[in-house]
Amino acid sequence: MADTPLLEGLHVVDLASFIAGPAAATMLGDFGADVVKVEPPHTGDAYRALSRIPPNPGVDELNYPWQLDNRNKRSIALNLKSPGARPVLERLVKWADVLVTNFPPHTRAKLGVDYDDLAPLNPRLIYADVTGFGEEGPDAHLPGFDVTAYWARSGLMDYTRQRGGPPAMPAFGSGDHPTAVTLYAGVMTALYRREKTGQGSRVSASLIAEGAWAASMWLQAALVGGKAPHPADRTDPPNALASAYRTADDRWLLLAFANEDKQVPLFLQAIGKPEAAQNQDYADTPSRRAHAAEIAAVLDKTFATRTLAEWRELLDAAGLTYGVVQTIDEFAQDPQLKANQIVIPIEDGSDEPHLTVDSPVRIDQERKVPPGPAPNLGEHTDAVLRDLGYDDAAIAELRGAEVVD
């Protein structure tokens, strides 16, 4: 494993707010990049306040989403709306290898931070932007959040509910974080291109494109004339062996049989109904599909007779594929997370450090930077300005003009 982090010496300017853009910058920082987060004075990135908005859990004295997506960054409080900020921004752009933004197109134009505005300042710059609905089309100007542009727009929210029931609100960030991985992949691809050509480039990602990719199997079917499935009715499912069932202690098990010819006899033996294997209504896959509602009714009654622990023991002994529908609280204690270093300690000097979620990309031969505390607003303003060549007098002048805080 290398002693020096892979991206050490790479300079990143994070102009983005909320989740997808900043999380991509965090991934670059995880591999050693120096990430400078630019925030408006006094208020900072609005993401700092997200943990106080229901239904997010409140945690006393710990801004957990801010820590998750802004660890190891340096914060500079810079008022991009001030004319005096332009020279500072231009120095940042010349210093940077990568710039990340999620401003809508009209805001980028108004602030003068579009690709065409900044690329001439640094021909090697990788300009990475993420939008809700893409750069073109009638909705390009709309603000996009993952619940609107990724979940609702894509059809994912429509399908992941019971037929006749209302859409459920997904976990916040569950569309943003996959989009962040895509933006990170684009940045790394652009850096590879720069190694070959010497030239920077523009990289883009969007929540709507990520939603399309997530829904792509059934979206592809619709594009070639297929009819996407309706939201499921678990009492009359298309496949009773790929459905969820409630146990006696009010838990849920999800069956997922890929090889039914092999697994169905084992399953029937495990649930105490081996005689069903001789029933011609259940003899093969077509017949099981035709009688799915009947099978689901039988399995509903069957699974209601035992607890989750009892069913797990029986299904495990039979070598069958299933999933336990865990709560987030249970998942936080899942032994697989620590065993695979998916959750890792924050190095903040505490005797008992909190854990945080590592970014999902890993290279066995490269070490990541241990996660440190996320910055306070403007915590590194003076240090960053000195890195850009400003002396104490110039910094005081910028602060007096309320360009920085």
Side-chain angles (χ1 to χ4, degrees), residues 64-344:
Y64 59 90
W66 182 254
Q67 170 63 42
L68 173 67
D69 290 317
N70 289 282
R71 57 180 176 245
N72 295 346
K73 296 180 184 179
R74 298 193 288 165
S75 170
I76 175 174
L78 177 65
N79 182 7
L80 292 175
K81 296 179 181 179
S82 169
R86 190 68 191 184
V88 180
L89 176 64
E90 291 186 356
R91 290 198 194 192
L92 279 168
V93 171
K94 293 174 182 177
W95 171 85
D97 295 287
V98 179
L99 183 142
V100 180
T101 178
N102 70 334
F103 292 130
H106 66 279
T107 303
R108 291 200 308 260
K110 185 176 180 180
L111 293 175
V113 296
D114 228 331
Y115 176 70
D116 291 339
D117 299 317
L118 302 183
L121 301 172
N122 181 353
R124 289 175 56 81
L125 180 70
I126 308 301
Y127 180 101
D129 74 87
V130 58
T131 60
F133 299 100
E135 298 289 333
E136 306 294 338
D139 293 340
H141 66 288
L142 294 178
F145 295 96
D146 69 345
V147 293
T148 60
Y150 176 94
W151 279 103
R153 189 71 171 256
S154 68
L156 290 170
M157 185 178 283
D158 178 62
Y159 186 77
T160 53
R161 62 187 174 100
Q162 286 296 303
R163 191 178 306 170
M169 181 66 73
F172 283 15
S174 54
D176 284 306
H177 284 108
T179 306
V181 176
T182 294
L183 192 64
Y184 167 83
V187 168
M188 297 304 293
T189 303
L191 288 170
Y192 180 71
R193 177 183 181 275
R194 192 176 74 174
E195 286 297 304
K196 299 182 73 172
T197 67
Q199 298 297 310
S201 56
R202 181 177 187 173
V203 173
S204 62
S206 69
L207 292 165
I208 193 172
E210 196 71 24
W213 187 241
S216 58
M217 185 179 296
W218 290 348
L219 178 58
Q220 181 66 54
L223 291 173
V224 296
K227 186 67 175 176
H230 293 294
D233 177 354
R234 59 170 309 280
T235 66
D236 187 14
N239 180 0
L241 300 179
S243 191
Y245 296 94
R246 193 196 304 261
T247 63
D249 52 345
D250 201 28
R251 299 303 305 272
W252 289 88
L253 276 171
L254 179 69
L255 301 182
F257 296 166
N259 185 347
E260 290 187 17
D261 290 340
K262 176 182 178 181
Q263 292 178 300
V264 166
L266 298 174
F267 175 62
L268 294 175
Q269 187 73 36
I271 66 175
K273 296 185 180 298
E275 71 283 355
Q278 308 306 317
N279 189 326
Q280 290 304 304
D281 289 344
Y282 315 144
D284 54 29
T285 297
S287 61
R288 287 189 287 269
R289 298 298 178 269
H291 295 87
E294 178 183 331
I295 295 171
V298 172
L299 293 181
D300 266 338
K301 293 178 181 179
T302 302
F303 277 102
T305 63
R306 297 177 186 266
T307 65
L308 173 62
E310 291 172 318
W311 282 121
R312 292 189 70 173
E313 184 176 352
L314 289 168
L315 297 176
D316 286 343
L320 294 164
T321 309
Y322 69 95
V324 176
V325 181
Q326 294 196 128
T327 67
I328 294 284
D329 290 337
E330 288 174 326
F331 191 40
Q333 305 303 320
D334 194 315
Q336 289 299 113
L337 297 183
K338 286 186 179 179
N340 291 282
Q341 298 181 22
I342 296 168
V343 295
I344 51 179

